[in-house]
Amino acid sequence: MSAVTATISKGKMDAATGKPAQRDEGARLGFRLTLPAQILVLFISAFPLLMQLYISVTDWSPLSGVGWWNAWEMWNGFANYTDLAADTRFWSALKRTAVVMLVCVPAEFLLGLALATLFADDFPGKRIFYSILLMPMMVVPAVAGYMFFMLFQSGGPVNDILSRIIGAPVTIAWLSDPNLALIAVMIADIWQWTPLMFLVLLAGRVGVPEDQMKAATLLGANAWQRFTTIVLPKMKTIIVIALAIRVIENFKIFDTLYIMTGGGPGVATETISVYIYKVTTQDLIWGYVAAIALAILIVLSIVAVYAMKRMAKTREMTA
Amino acid sequence: MKRSVPFEIFRYAAILAAIAVTLVPILWMVSMAFKPIGEWSATGTDLTWWPKHPTLANFQFVFGESTNDLIVALDHTALKPILSSLLSAVFGTAIAMSAGTAAAYGLSRFGSGQNLPLALIQLRLFPPMAVMIPVMIMWSFLNFTDSWWGLALVYGIVTLPFAFWLMKTFFDDMPREIEEAALVEGCSRLRVFTRITLPMMRAPLASAALFVFILNWSDYLIALLLTTREWVTIPVYMASLSSSMTGQLYGAKAALGLIAAVPPVIMGIAIQRHLVRGLTFGALKQ
């Protein structure tokens, strides 16, 4: 919030330095410049949200033979929402999404933090290592999904490496075993997104003042003490941002996972996005999908307000 | 700070291990893309980490040339999907960048559109899957389904938050003196923006555009929902390439994957120093 107020006052100061005529010109131009973005936001939020709200209280489906505006003919009250509360497949998909998040985000964070710590000072080869380590996050997620699909084939390289280590042929069917499939998709997510944690955390680690670290060393603090008493507290807000970004994005997990397993075997890797996708394209009960989507949007909006407050606080600190 | 020798050894060992884990999946796909069909799914002791008989047949196959080994006929080649990915990503980027840059300047200089920062971050928070039902209905009403322009419009809106926030932080950082001098000289504010500010911001504009392009190019889910046949993008085409008739076309898909993966990786390395700013909505600068 405070970032927004800061911009307001900045805008006012800027306008105040100009002559009245110039100020009007500025306000008019500002309005016109922001108009296209405003229209796009309205186009994708206000109208679709109302449409979604409307459809969510009906049984409408694209196959029902009436236009969506006539969906009221199929009004079913709040049946979709009560169905949702009793939909075990939805709740298990939500639980699975939470499990994936609770494994992947901390793993990505710890690995990223460890790498950022190793990269904190200069050493020969730093730049080239840095560039290579960032590559996974730039690979198209669907393509990354396909890479891991190949790696985890029962005759594929992962089993080949394991065979060499053990000395006996390993033929684990990673993607067709319900438990292993979930582990495989989590490994793919960790591979792809640890670089993002590393990138953001390193940017924060570089901002830790070197003189404080030196002073602590002179006072006899060891590396671990310096890390816990200086580095971590200084990086606190950056850590919050990095975690927030990954939590948000991980919740949406779809591309890699869907290419690797299609949500299967059975529903073993079906996360919330995959579940909604399947109901949308296979079961085609769009009234119900609209209800699920709205429920998720409401929960996420509450999270959003909290996250924005934290981000605004950080921007204030780094400004 | 001076570090001990054991620490240096540990550091290099750990980093090299991380690099190995990073590169193995990528190199496996690169290797697969050049493998002849006989080596695609060779297992056990026959498994080849590097093609024994490297070939370009996989690339020729996806572009529709018949090769000796692959007798499967494609119902269409990779050319149209590549064109579709390019058109939708380029025009999506153009939409996001023009609306985002203009709005960022309006907010940064004149305080217009105070609601945009929060509204755009909220837009980014929501899973695309949760807003796609109305979009699919609207798009089929507007006859935008299965077209690159329909896809470009969604991409433009989805990546608008990144374009806006990146350009806003760039404009906020830019010194105002030159703009003010031009105003005193009698330039109109619009002229200052188009003739002075924008040319000065060429480099940041290019970085932001590349960043947004990478995001658009990387999409899979939206294209999966909004395109069906004529204008499918590379990832959708790639996923649909295998069927029960043909089995897994490993090499052909790896060749396509390589074509899709190379541009964003190169662009990403080129704009490395702006990545943090882009990914954290300007909360952090490198």
Side-chain angles (χ1 to χ4, degrees):
Chain A
M1 288 309 130
S2 44
V4 179
T5 22
T7 343
I8 300 175
S9 53
K10 214 189 280 170
K12 272 186 187 150
M13 272 193 307
D14 189 47
T17 52
K19 290 179 269 263
Q22 273 185 347
R23 193 161 59 219
D24 288 349
E25 190 201 345
R28 267 204 315 275
L29 180 61
F31 175 76
R32 272 184 289 161
L33 286 175
T34 46
L35 197 58
Q38 299 279 21
I39 292 172
L40 286 176
V41 170
L42 270 182
F43 181 62
I44 208 71
S45 55
F47 181 60
L49 275 181
L50 290 175
M51 187 197 279
Q52 198 145 342
L53 187 63
Y54 171 52
I55 293 171
S56 77
V57 291
T58 70
D59 273 331
W60 188 78
S61 133
L63 301 179
S64 55
V66 292
W68 65 270
W69 55 91
N70 280 329
W72 56 269
E73 292 169 8
M74 313 175 77
W75 193 71
N76 67 1
F78 292 94
N80 285 333
Y81 291 93
T82 47
D83 285 353
L84 182 62
D87 183 349
T88 50
R89 198 172 151 202
F90 167 77
W91 291 106
S92 85
L94 197 61
K95 211 173 79 189
R96 207 167 292 115
T97 312
V99 169
V100 169
M101 189 187 284
L102 287 174
V103 173
C104 289
V105 176
E108 286 156 16
F109 169 69
L110 291 176
L111 288 171
L113 186 64
L115 281 172
T117 310
L118 291 179
F119 274 76
D121 49 7
D122 285 323
F123 57 92
K126 180 177 172 173
R127 283 187 60 88
I128 180 83
F129 290 146
Y130 178 74
S131 293
I132 294 175
L133 287 176
L134 292 188
M135 278 167 72
M137 62 184 271
M138 298 159 196
V139 172
V140 177
V143 174
Y146 185 60
M147 287 177 185
F148 280 86
F149 174 82
M150 289 190 289
L151 290 180
F152 282 115
Q153 292 301 304
S154 56
V158 169
N159 282 346
D160 186 57
I161 293 172
L162 292 177
S163 309
R164 281 160 202 252
I165 294 172
I166 299 173
V170 176
T171 50
I172 303 171
W174 289 92
L175 298 177
S176 39
D177 179 292
N179 295 317
L180 294 179
L182 196 63
I183 293 175
V185 299
M186 290 195 288
I187 290 175
D189 191 79
I190 294 168
W191 177 83
Q192 181 151 43
W193 297 113
T194 296
L196 188 146
M197 281 285 191
F198 167 55
L199 176 76
V200 175
L201 292 175
L202 181 58
R205 178 62 183 78
V206 170
V208 174
E210 197 58 33
D211 51 345
Q212 288 190 15
M213 297 286 280
K214 279 192 183 129
T217 317
L218 289 177
L219 291 172
N222 64 28
W224 178 250
Q225 286 167 329
R226 287 198 300 270
F227 183 71
T228 51
T229 58
I230 302 175
V231 177
L232 279 186
K234 289 272 175 205
M235 288 175 70
K236 203 173 119 199
T237 39
I238 283 141
I239 290 173
V240 171
I241 291 177
L243 288 173
I245 293 173
R246 277 313 298 150
V247 165
I248 292 165
E249 296 296 323
N250 191 275
F251 183 76
K252 306 176 186 173
I253 186 168
F254 181 87
D255 296 6
T256 39
L257 190 153
Y258 192 72
I259 296 261
M260 284 175 74
T261 65
V267 292
T269 54
E270 193 171 273
T271 57
I272 206 74
S273 286
V274 176
Y275 171 67
I276 302 180
Y277 175 75
K278 283 188 175 167
V279 180
T280 306
T281 57
Q282 291 165 15
D283 306 342
L284 289 163
I285 31 178
W286 286 16
Y288 186 51
V289 179
I292 306 174
L294 268 184
I296 291 174
L297 289 185
I298 290 165
V299 175
L300 283 185
S301 298
I302 298 167
V303 180
V305 171
Y306 174 78
M308 272 302 285
K309 278 185 183 155
R310 293 306 291 252
M311 295 229 340
K313 210 191 258 173
T314 320
R315 207 167 293 123
E316 214 169 52
M317 283 174 54
T318 51
Chain B
M1 211 181 292
K2 198 88 190 95
R3 300 288 196 155
S4 60
V5 176
F7 175 80
E8 290 297 341
I9 293 172
F10 168 74
R11 167 148 74 189
Y12 278 100
I15 290 174
L16 288 176
I19 289 204
V21 174
T22 300
L23 287 181
V24 163
I26 298 176
L27 290 180
W28 181 263
M29 188 179 73
V30 174
S31 152
M32 183 64 86
F34 295 99
K35 278 182 187 175
I37 187 162
E39 293 177 42
W40 283 1
S41 43
T43 60
T45 47
D46 293 333
L47 182 129
T48 45
W49 279 87
W50 211 244
K52 285 197 188 96
H53 308 285
T55 169
L56 288 175
N58 297 323
F59 292 91
Q60 291 167 335
F61 172 69
V62 295
F63 286 108
E65 274 179 52
S66 56
T67 58
N68 295 332
D69 300 323
L70 286 160
I71 42 160
V72 188
L74 292 170
D75 60 325
H76 62 287
T77 69
L79 270 181
K80 194 84 177 283
I82 291 174
L83 186 67
S84 175
S85 276
L86 265 178
L87 284 172
S88 56
V90 166
F91 281 88
T93 305
I95 293 170
M97 283 304 293
S98 31
T101 305
Y105 191 75
L107 177 62
S108 178
R109 294 296 186 271
F110 313 117
S112 311
Q114 299 292 341
N115 63 316
L116 282 174
L118 184 72
L120 286 170
I121 280 197
Q122 271 178 331
L123 200 62
R124 185 60 206 166
L125 271 177
F126 302 141
M129 209 48 251
V131 288
M132 282 313 277
I133 287 278
V135 171
M136 285 161 82
I137 296 173
M138 283 160 74
W139 259 235
S140 83
F141 180 74
L142 295 167
N143 233 341
F144 278 0
T145 317
D146 202 14
S147 67
W148 64 264
W149 54 92
L151 213 47
L153 183 54
V154 186
Y155 287 170
I157 299 172
V158 169
T159 50
L160 179 62
F162 290 99
F164 172 82
W165 272 100
L166 263 170
M167 290 318 296
K168 183 182 172 299
T169 62
F170 285 131
F171 285 134
D172 287 348
D173 289 353
M174 186 188 147
R176 316 273 169 104
E177 285 75 16
I178 301 169
E179 288 180 355
E180 274 157 20
L183 272 180
V184 173
E185 294 289 317
C187 260
S188 76
R189 285 186 188 267
L190 181 63
R191 242 182 114 77
V192 171
F193 176 52
T194 54
R195 294 295 162 83
I196 293 168
T197 314
L198 284 183
M200 274 175 63
M201 301 292 277
R202 249 186 320 227
L205 275 168
S207 310
L210 284 178
F211 186 87
V212 169
F213 179 88
I214 294 175
L215 293 172
N216 288 334
W217 178 267
S218 300
D219 166 71
Y220 171 60
L221 176 58
I222 296 173
L224 191 60
L225 287 166
L226 288 180
T227 61
T228 48
R229 204 196 128 74
E230 279 307 307
W231 290 100
V232 294
T233 58
I234 304 174
V236 181
Y237 176 74
M238 189 180 98
S240 70
L241 207 55
S242 301
S243 68
S244 50
M245 292 264 296
T246 60
Q248 276 293 336
L249 298 171
Y250 287 105
K253 288 170 92 173
L256 269 175
L258 196 58
I259 294 170
V262 166
V265 170
I266 292 172
M267 290 175 183
I269 290 171
I271 57 162
Q272 222 172 58
R273 59 199 192 89
H274 296 301
L275 284 178
V276 169
R277 189 194 285 247
L279 289 164
T280 60
F281 290 103
L284 257 183
K285 288 158 203 162
Q286 217 164 1

